[in-house]
């Protein structure tokens, strides 16, 4: 199946992190840590996912950041369709990996030094 987003490793990592609790909005640094990605990798992925409608984002209330003495945070959350598409895409990836793993485990190497 083709998805609106190219399923790269970083995209997969972000989706897995976001799906841990799809109903909870998270800010960039939180997602970065959870997904194990640097900001320079994370934010282009977030922009792509938001561009195709899998994510939505919003800025926190400025009063909160001012009272906490820090910059405003931008919060991201999977859309209902995005969460569904992400689950399907990740299930497909897992299925392909399992099939590949099984096919590789059935290949038996010949004895060392044997000529073909």
């Amino acid at each position: 199946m083709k998805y609106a987003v190219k399923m790269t490793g970083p995209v997969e990592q972000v989706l897995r992190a976001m799906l841990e609790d799809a109903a909870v909005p998270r800010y960039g640094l939180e997602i970065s840590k959870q997904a194990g990605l640097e900001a320079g990798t994370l934010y282009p992925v977030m922009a792509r996912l938001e561009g195709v409608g899998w994510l939505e984002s919003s800025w926190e209330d400025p009063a909160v950041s001012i009272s906490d003495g820090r910059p405003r945070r931008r919060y991201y959350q999977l859309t209902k369709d995005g969460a569904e598409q992400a689950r399907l895409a990740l299930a497909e990836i897992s299925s392909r990996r399992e099939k590949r793993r099984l096919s590789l485990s059935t290949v038996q190497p010949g004895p060392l030094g044997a000529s073909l």
Side-chain angles (χ1 to χ4, degrees):
M1 176 180 232
K2 281 236 171 189
Y3 292 95
V5 176
K6 183 177 180 186
M7 296 305 293
T8 62
V11 170
E12 182 181 348
Q13 288 169 258
V14 166
L15 292 176
R16 287 190 190 286
M18 296 297 293
L19 282 171
E20 284 186 20
D21 192 346
V24 175
R26 292 182 183 82
Y27 59 95
L29 182 59
E30 195 176 19
I31 299 164
S32 175
K33 288 179 180 178
Q34 202 170 0
L37 297 171
E38 297 293 327
T41 302
L42 175 72
Y43 288 107
V45 169
M46 302 306 277
R48 254 185 285 154
L49 292 172
E50 191 169 15
V52 297
W54 287 22
L55 274 182
E56 52 193 12
S57 68
S58 60
W59 288 99
E60 77 178 337
D61 182 343
V64 173
S65 65
I66 291 168
S67 70
D68 288 351
R70 58 170 172 72
R72 283 174 74 193
R73 292 175 175 162
R74 186 173 187 148
Y75 282 88
Y76 298 88
Q77 186 171 6
L78 287 168
T79 61
K80 184 178 179 191
D81 184 54
E84 185 177 316
Q85 292 297 315
R87 285 185 185 96
L88 290 171
L90 294 175
E92 185 177 316
I93 288 168
S94 293
S95 174
R96 272 192 260 134
R97 284 187 181 144
E98 181 63 15
K99 286 178 187 173
R100 188 177 322 129
R101 188 187 68 75
L102 290 173
S103 70
L104 291 174
S105 68
T106 60
V107 174
Q108 299 295 318
L112 287 176
S115 60
L116 297 175

